[in-house]
Amino acid sequence: MSGTGSADLVIVANRLPVDSVTEADGSQTWRRSPGGLVTALEPVMREADGAWIGWTGVPDVEVAPFDNEGLSLVPIRLSSSEVEEFYEGFSNGTLWPLYHDAVAKPEFHREWWESYELVNERFAERAAEVAATGATVWVQDYQLQLVPAMLRRLRPDLRIGFYLHIPFPPGELFNQLPWRRQILEGLLGADLVGFQLPGGASNFIRLVRARIGHRANRDRIHLPEGREVRATAYPISIDARAFEALARTPAVAARAAEIRDQLGNPRKVFLGIDRLDYTKGIYARLRAFGELLRDDHLDVEDAVFVQVATPSRERVEQYRILRDEIERLVGRINGDEGRIGRVAISYLHSSYPREEMAALYRAADVMVVTPYRDGMNLVAKEYVACRFDNDGALVLSEFAGAAEELRQAWLVNPYDINGMKAALMHAFAADPRTRARRMRAMRRQIMEHDVARWAADFLADLR
Ligand code: GDG
């Protein structure tokens, strides 16, 4: 099978870049989901007659290919049991925790694996149908690690790239996986395998050498059949200029002032924005803040914390437990430290439009990003992009990929609560000149390395 389709660039991702929405009159439509990936790829997709393959987010429905705002979308059907086994199970109950330092215990179930293989095969077959002869196919993320090899078997004429958005773990962790060899061989079906950090790329190369026995020379792996696979880092980024432009609008400025006002005009506002996920270190950061209030290093007149926790993977047991733990802690801190009209932690379990996110970034004096492990962390970069006044302080975990680029943040070890308390206080008390010097350096970094450059670098190397 070769050249049956017409797309010269095919993106294969777990999700399509749209969400299904029901209008007031009961009809169903699609809304573009905001995200850096779509923004970055949209221009290249238009130029190259591109197609995007992915799941609609709705189980058990078959949807025919359709166009959305000029993007050609190819839906994949997932049954409810596949959502449970492939998506919630193997992707989010096995791979996600395993690849994040086993912060939560990964579960290994053979039925989950079988479903993962089956669904990966479906994505590969669809990509094989859609791609034109010699087309470029770019497969995204941990849910689809078997697709590159499956697709190459069907379509050896294609250029195949793979990008992992989350960390790639060292052998000490990866080797727990009963299907470790299949995953490595799945990825080796690509011509180019991209990682967030050089560390992920070298973990991968080391494992390929040790477990499969292929030779490797720096970032090039030599396969016995003469093919070469490159494994390299491409740190992902954001559309930094678009974020800054949004933050500069009068509407966002007004909303930022209003947020501070509604918080009671405290001297300083701390902010956390995360998907409610156990890798993000939300509990530990709120505990650190609570102790600073308890021990009178801070007072609710001086400082309040706004924590946005976007609902995520709510059907997975560990996520429900985490939500309860965080909510109990927030309740306790607010009960102990709050006063009438002044809550210590404004906790919001909700998701917001981009404008509101930008207003929150503008309203925050100290942004607190403390994951135990994170591939990159775009929230940290978005905060920096919105601080065009060169003011504001970023407290950032050294275990976020972003820490390799944002060296001028107040870097912390999220396992060290006292260390975090000290960093929160330093960021809180830093003088304006120090804040400006650090922010300026970080802004230079992200303005020069935006998501368009990320996509262009990857695609240039792939082609
Ligand atoms: C994975 C990796 C890597 C969040 N809440 C709302 C909202 N968001 C947006 C943020 C940001 C994105 O979601 C989250 O990205 P992160 O990078 O912070 O984290 P993950 O979701 O875990 O992403 C990560 C990333 O992939 C990309 O490769 O950096 O390491 O784990 O853009 O702004 N957006 C809106 N409303 C919300 O309520 N509009």
Side-chain angles (χ1 to χ4, degrees):
M1 182 162 51
S2 104
T4 49
S6 64
D8 294 319
L9 174 63
V10 181
I11 304 297
V12 188
N14 177 53
R15 280 296 311 272
L16 286 173
V18 290
D19 291 309
S20 166
V21 287
T22 312
E23 300 288 353
D25 64 0
S27 65
Q28 187 273 333
T29 53
W30 300 100
R31 192 190 311 124
R32 180 69 61 85
S33 34
L37 196 58
V38 213
T39 321
L41 294 174
E42 209 165 347
V44 242
M45 298 267 291
R46 283 182 205 288
E47 218 171 282
D49 191 5
W52 187 307
I53 300 177
W55 177 45
T56 56
V58 188
D60 296 317
V61 288
E62 189 86 48
V63 182
F66 61 100
D67 279 4
N68 175 274
E69 296 173 28
L71 283 189
S72 141
L73 306 182
V74 183
I76 293 280
R77 179 182 195 272
L78 292 185
S79 70
S80 327
S81 68
E82 285 165 348
V83 173
E84 258 167 57
E85 297 182 341
F86 151 77
Y87 179 67
E88 292 163 351
F90 199 77
S91 298
N92 291 324
T94 307
L95 293 172
W96 178 269
L98 183 70
Y99 283 26
H100 287 90
D101 288 1
V103 170
K105 197 167 167 46
E107 286 184 46
F108 303 111
H109 297 294
R110 285 164 285 182
E111 320 77 69
W112 288 2
W113 164 253
E114 283 159 20
S115 180
Y116 186 80
E117 271 187 306
L118 202 84
V119 171
N120 271 249
E121 190 73 55
R122 189 173 310 149
F123 275 87
E125 281 165 6
R126 207 75 183 94
E129 287 163 14
V130 165
T133 306
T136 298
V137 180
W138 191 1
V139 183
Q140 308 286 327
D141 227 3
Y142 62 103
Q143 303 92 349
L144 302 175
Q145 293 172 100
L146 305 178
V147 169
M150 291 170 165
L151 182 56
R152 180 168 299 278
R153 231 171 285 130
L154 296 168
R155 292 287 305 272
D157 60 299
L158 301 174
R159 287 301 285 172
I160 304 173
F162 180 90
Y163 187 77
L164 186 70
H165 290 256
I166 68 175
F168 192 84
E172 285 78 355
L173 285 162
F174 186 79
N175 286 332
Q176 288 181 16
L177 195 64
W179 308 279
R180 56 201 182 187
R181 190 183 174 96
Q182 289 96 312
I183 297 276
L184 294 174
E185 291 193 327
L187 293 171
L188 287 170
D191 298 292
L192 176 62
V193 187
F195 298 88
Q196 297 277 19
L197 303 180
S202 56
N203 286 342
F204 175 68
I205 292 170
R206 214 172 299 128
L207 274 156
V208 165
R209 273 209 196 97
R211 303 229 66 90
I212 313 211
H214 293 333
R215 281 185 312 111
N217 209 326
R218 309 179 78 166
D219 67 350
R220 287 170 202 279
I221 300 163
H222 304 284
L223 272 56
E225 66 262 33
R227 203 161 61 82
E228 211 177 74
V229 179
R230 251 187 99 192
T232 306
Y234 301 86
I236 202 168
S237 194
I238 57 166
D239 188 347
R241 269 170 201 88
F243 259 99
E244 172 169 347
L246 183 60
R248 280 183 184 275
T249 58
V252 166
R255 177 63 190 143
E258 189 180 42
I259 289 171
R260 290 192 73 108
D261 199 48
Q262 287 170 337
L263 291 168
N265 290 310
R267 217 151 62 77
K268 301 252 164 159
V269 175
F270 289 78
L271 174 66
I273 298 183
D274 314 77
R275 267 189 314 100
L276 210 168
D277 192 294
Y278 49 76
T279 58
K280 302 289 183 184
I282 301 168
Y283 187 94
R285 104 174 49 128
L286 294 180
R287 215 179 121 191
F289 182 71
E291 287 186 15
L292 290 172
L293 292 174
R294 182 196 66 195
D295 300 338
D296 296 326
H297 296 293
L298 291 175
D299 184 276
V300 281
E301 303 298 325
D302 294 332
V304 299
F305 205 114
V306 177
Q307 176 65 53
V308 174
T310 312
S312 182
R313 304 175 193 169
E314 293 183 289
R315 284 157 35 120
V316 180
E317 170 80 3
Q318 267 151 337
Y319 287 77
R320 292 201 195 131
I321 296 173
L322 175 74
R323 180 176 172 191
D324 287 343
E325 285 170 355
I326 290 173
E327 293 181 354
R328 211 174 313 129
L329 178 69
V330 169
R332 202 177 71 219
I333 294 172
N334 282 342
D336 288 345
E337 310 298 338
R339 283 180 217 138
I340 285 180
R342 190 57 74 112
V343 281
I345 300 172
S346 290
Y347 167 77
L348 306 157
H349 180 250
S350 186
S351 75
Y352 294 93
R354 269 170 112 64
E355 292 70 26
E356 183 74 359
M357 304 274 290
L360 284 163
Y361 290 138
R362 269 204 73 167
D365 302 286
V366 183
M367 183 79 211
V368 192
V369 181
T370 57
Y372 294 118
R373 184 61 69 191
D374 215 330
M376 176 55 61
N377 196 291
L378 298 181
V379 165
K381 291 187 171 181
E382 288 164 5
Y383 178 68
V384 171
C386 290
R387 308 305 301 193
F388 55 84
D389 54 356
N390 289 320
D391 200 358
L394 174 64
V395 174
L396 177 61
S397 165
E398 52 191 80
F399 304 128
E404 294 207 0
E405 292 172 82
L406 304 177
R407 303 306 301 170
Q408 296 78 11
W410 276 267
L411 293 175
V412 294
N413 168 1
Y415 294 96
D416 173 10
I417 302 260
N418 284 345
M420 268 202 293
K421 286 163 71 177
L424 291 177
M425 288 310 294
H426 282 134
F428 174 82
D431 62 81
R433 279 188 49 218
T434 307
R435 295 199 301 261
R437 180 174 46 76
R438 290 182 178 227
M439 188 55 77
R440 221 176 280 124
M442 293 193 288
R443 289 180 56 77
R444 211 174 302 127
Q445 171 66 27
I446 62 153
M447 290 297 163
E448 280 166 22
H449 299 86
D450 66 0
V451 72
R453 177 161 168 190
W454 167 81
D457 285 351
F458 185 94
L459 287 171
D461 287 355
L462 176 58
R463 283 158 171 165

